[in-house]
Amino acid sequence: MAVRSSILGIDGPGPLAQGLRDAQYIADESLATAAYLALALGKPLLLEGAPGVGKTEAAKAIASVLGRELVRLQCYEGIDAAAAMYEWNFPRQMLAIRQAGDEHINLYADEFLIARPVLLALQAPRQRVLLIDEIDRADHEFEAFLLEFLSDFTVSIPERGTIRAGEPPVVVLTSNRTRELHEALRRRCVYHWIDYPAPELEAEIVMMRASTVAQDTARKVVAAVGGLRAEPLAKPPGVAETVEWAQAATLLNAQGAPWPRAFARAIGVALKDQDDLEFMVPRLDALLQEAVA
Ligand SMILES: Nc1ncnc2c1ncn2[C@@H]1O[C@H](COP(=O)(O)OP(=O)(O)OP(=O)(O)O)[C@@H](O)[C@H]1O
Ligand SMILES: [Mg+2]
């Protein structure tokens, strides 16, 4: 297996974690290790986890550490290879034919090619990071197509031939695990499950992302969110909700709402599902007393 011994001067999971931190992303050791190995081994990184645990943001931060542009392929039901790879600009081809008259024109020249994220990544593997976001939303056929691409990093354009990447592009895939991914796809990748961050790390994330929030408030909001995540909710709060809840409660507190009342009043930024709210409202005071005391 080709090992990229020095991946752009990053000498291990520790320095990578530091780089990610400089890019405003806090990775624990296991994530930093998985990301480092994926980069060093030239394999795609597959990140799975609950909504809002920082999967997409991890890919952005990795691109930023490498000093590369992130090209994102957002997956959805029904997404097809054209949306992922390339399309011919049909209206422009038609116009060119009309304008050309008797002259010969190459309808498959670059100017008619619309490169989509997969092709963009192949064309400049050293300048780009490919994010295949929420792969679990795509259907099995599309997953099979991606598997092929991830095996040999080539794209075949019938009118032009096969385009091969000079080196494997850096690829990050994310999944919310709404369905199981193919075993074969997993095998291609370095896999990492992102859990909710440990409380100290989540408090650090809050402080990093929301400068108005006091350290004590960050600790309290993290404890309260931990309490919410232990409840049987349809949509447990992600890290973004923790940050917003801390910001919103800080704002209300500055306007006179005492603690822990400020948290209760701002609950709408932490829970965004009516059933969850209905379930939690009668229990919220007790939860906050325990978490915030
Ligand atoms: N480890 C982290 N360090 C810094 N910020 C983080 C971290 N994890 C999450 N965040 C914050 O939480 C927000 C949500 O993260 P992100 O959008 O990456 O989650 P996700 O796992 O992709 O969620 P979804 O499944 O809903 O797409 C980010 O915009 C960022 O502000
Ligand atoms: Mg995401």
Side-chain angles (χ1 to χ4, degrees), residues 165-232:
E167 61 179 75
V170 174
V171 183
V172 180
L173 297 105
T174 79
S175 163
N176 281 353
R177 213 179 179 188
T178 54
R179 66 171 176 84
E180 284 294 323
L181 302 177
H182 282 299
E183 204 42 50
L185 186 84
R186 290 169 186 283
R187 252 185 277 133
R188 291 271 176 282
C189 303
V190 174
Y191 175 83
H192 181 70
W193 173 263
I194 303 192
D195 229 325
Y196 292 116
E200 324 78 68
L201 285 193
E202 193 162 8
E204 259 189 84
I205 295 171
V206 171
M207 308 275 294
M208 180 185 259
R209 297 269 167 176
S211 54
T212 55
V213 174
Q215 193 171 6
D216 186 49
T217 308
R219 264 200 296 266
K220 285 175 173 166
V221 81
V222 166
V225 161
L228 290 178
R229 287 179 190 150
E231 301 288 344

Side-chain angles (χ1 to χ4, degrees), residues 2-254:
V3 175
R4 293 182 202 153
S5 52
S6 82
I7 170 90
L8 302 158
I10 300 166
D11 294 335
L16 177 59
Q18 187 53 51
L20 292 170
R21 199 174 265 267
D22 295 341
Q24 299 258 300
Y25 189 87
I26 298 181
D28 65 12
E29 204 190 331
S30 61
L31 172 57
T33 304
Y36 173 74
L37 287 177
L39 292 174
L41 300 176
K43 290 184 125 202
L45 174 65
L46 171 57
L47 300 175
E48 267 194 329
V53 289
K55 301 180 295 295
T56 303
E57 202 68 17
K60 289 186 193 167
I62 288 170
S64 162
V65 170
L66 298 176
R68 296 181 183 187
E69 178 198 3
L70 184 80
V71 283
R72 177 179 183 185
L73 177 65
Q74 170 65 55
C75 297
Y76 50 88
E77 215 184 313
I79 187 174
D80 59 6
M85 287 201 300
Y86 71 93
E87 281 171 288
W88 290 112
N89 190 337
F90 186 62
R92 219 164 146 188
Q93 286 174 324
M94 286 298 105
L95 191 68
I97 290 173
R98 245 180 269 136
Q99 287 172 345
D102 291 339
E103 250 174 76
H104 172 80
I105 50 162
N106 175 9
L107 287 176
Y108 302 111
D110 278 352
E111 61 188 298
F112 302 114
L113 185 67
I114 306 172
R116 300 295 184 205
V118 167
L119 182 57
L120 284 170
L122 270 195
Q123 286 173 330
R126 291 187 176 190
Q127 274 117 54
R128 297 182 177 134
V129 169
L130 174 62
L131 166 61
I132 301 172
D133 215 6
E134 306 188 356
I135 170 79
D136 52 328
R137 290 199 193 190
D139 30 48
H140 294 283
E141 291 75 34
F142 187 74
E143 209 180 310
F145 152 75
L146 272 184
L147 183 64
E148 230 180 277
F149 163 71
L150 294 174
S151 310
D152 56 9
F153 297 113
T154 63
V155 164
S156 160
I157 305 180
E159 300 84 359
R160 295 274 292 260
T162 299
I163 298 176
R164 193 174 301 276
E167 61 179 75
V170 174
V171 183
V172 180
L173 297 105
T174 79
S175 163
N176 281 353
R177 213 179 179 188
T178 54
R179 66 171 176 84
E180 284 294 323
L181 302 177
H182 282 299
E183 204 42 50
L185 186 84
R186 290 169 186 283
R187 252 185 277 133
R188 291 271 176 282
C189 303
V190 174
Y191 175 83
H192 181 70
W193 173 263
I194 303 192
D195 229 325
Y196 292 116
E200 324 78 68
L201 285 193
E202 193 162 8
E204 259 189 84
I205 295 171
V206 171
M207 308 275 294
M208 180 185 259
R209 297 269 167 176
S211 54
T212 55
V213 174
Q215 193 171 6
D216 186 49
T217 308
R219 264 200 296 266
K220 285 175 173 166
V221 81
V222 166
V225 161
L228 290 178
R229 287 179 190 150
E231 301 288 344
L233 301 178
K235 298 211 161 49
V239 177
E241 281 70 32
T242 313
V243 175
E244 281 175 32
W245 200 13
Q247 274 174 318
T250 297
L251 186 65
L252 292 180
N253 176 252

